[in-house]
Amino acid sequence: MHVMVVNVKAYSQGIADEAVKIAKIMEDAGREFGVRMIIAVQPSDIYRVSNSSKIDVFAQHIDAISPGGHTGWVLADAVKAAGARGSILNHSEHRLKIDDIYESLRILKEKNMESIVCASSHEIAKAVASMEPDYVAVEPPELIGGDISVTKAKPEIISRSVEEVQKVSNSKVLCGAGIKNGEDVAKAIELGADGILVASGVVKALDKESIIKEMAEAMSR
Ligand code: G3P
């Protein structure tokens, strides 16, 4: 089943009740088009969103820590207890050292939580895939938040990442950066991705329902 991950980041259009609204639209679209929907929200919204919709809620990041004396860090046990099914790691906007990716992934696996590890290139995609996350998300940083989709600007980074990841692991590949419409989504799937990781194209859209449905429909073709 293809997967659509919406990362609401720290956009004001994606916090608190706005995050719940997006999740509910995703729930309907996922059911209608047979797409797995995941929403990655602020830590403070995990409980609220997971209690208000049936889709999977992810943290946007966890830290490589165990319960104990840590202040201001994100604990896997805590986001899990709040309802998170998994977490993004190493997003371009929150990069980690390789040891921290490894340790955070180990913690997620130990807690039976899923993982999406981001990579900025096919080389990094291959490297992080060797740690067997559930998903590797390939996103060229310079295209994130922009108007030109990775599927148009750098389609080869998607096909190459799929090829490289498949050589070393069973991780699924997501692609993201600048994805704005159904055409971009259909192209991502055609290039071999298992799904997309999208933010601004959904969160900042005036009509979120129509864009979420358009993207989900494109994934179900
Ligand atoms: O996590 C998703 C992301 O970095 C892509 O952002 O705004 O280009 O869809 P955006």
Side-chain angles (χ1 to χ4, degrees):
M1 186 185 267
H2 290 129
V3 58
M4 174 167 171
V5 185
V6 174
N7 174 11
V8 303
K9 302 193 174 180
Y11 287 118
S12 51
Q13 300 95 323
I15 57 168
D17 288 341
E18 296 304 313
V20 172
K21 282 186 206 159
I22 295 172
K24 286 188 169 162
I25 297 170
M26 291 172 71
E27 184 178 331
D28 290 344
R31 197 180 304 116
E32 183 175 350
F33 296 105
V35 172
R36 181 182 182 197
M37 293 288 187
I38 297 173
I39 187 165
V41 300
Q42 289 283 313
S44 46
D45 287 327
I46 292 172
Y47 188 74
R48 180 196 307 253
V49 177
S50 62
N51 275 296
S52 314
S53 86
K54 292 192 179 65
I55 66 168
D56 290 323
V57 178
F58 273 39
Q60 296 175 2
H61 165 81
I62 60 145
D63 288 298
I65 55 165
S66 304
H70 308 279
T71 301
W73 297 74
V74 183
L75 178 69
D77 306 66
V79 296
K80 183 176 181 179
R85 176 82 209 92
S87 182
I88 295 176
L89 293 174
N90 196 43
H91 192 279
S92 261
E93 294 154 2
H94 199 143
R95 290 194 195 179
L96 303 174
K97 291 181 187 157
I98 192 106
D99 313 49
D100 291 330
I101 300 174
Y102 182 81
E103 182 58 14
S104 300
L105 253 178
R106 192 196 61 72
I107 292 171
L108 288 174
K109 287 178 189 176
E110 185 185 282
K111 313 277 167 214
N112 283 319
M113 296 174 75
E114 291 182 70
S115 49
I116 299 172
V117 179
C118 297
S120 54
S121 65
H122 69 81
E123 291 92 343
I124 307 286
K126 184 177 182 181
V128 297
S130 69
M131 295 184 235
E132 297 280 353
D134 295 287
Y135 297 96
V136 174
V138 194
E139 301 196 318
E142 68 281 9
L143 299 173
I144 291 177
D147 289 326
I148 304 167
S149 162
V150 59
T151 54
K152 290 198 179 82
K154 293 194 166 172
E156 67 289 347
I157 195 177
I158 303 168
S159 40
R160 187 74 195 272
S161 296
V162 170
E163 201 182 305
E164 298 296 335
V165 167
Q166 282 173 353
K167 280 184 200 163
V168 295
S169 82
N170 291 315
S171 303
K172 293 181 175 161
V173 176
L174 307 178
C175 80
I179 292 183
K180 290 285 178 296
N181 53 39
E183 188 193 337
D184 297 338
V185 173
K187 186 71 183 169
I189 302 301
E190 186 190 314
L191 289 163
D194 295 287
I196 57 156
L197 175 56
V198 61
S200 54
V202 166
V203 184
K204 291 166 84 178
L206 293 178
D207 185 347
K208 296 183 180 53
E209 182 168 356
S210 85
I211 198 63
I212 289 169
K213 285 195 168 174
E214 180 181 323
M215 289 182 178
E217 190 275 330
M219 220 171 259
S220 68
R221 281 178 210 159

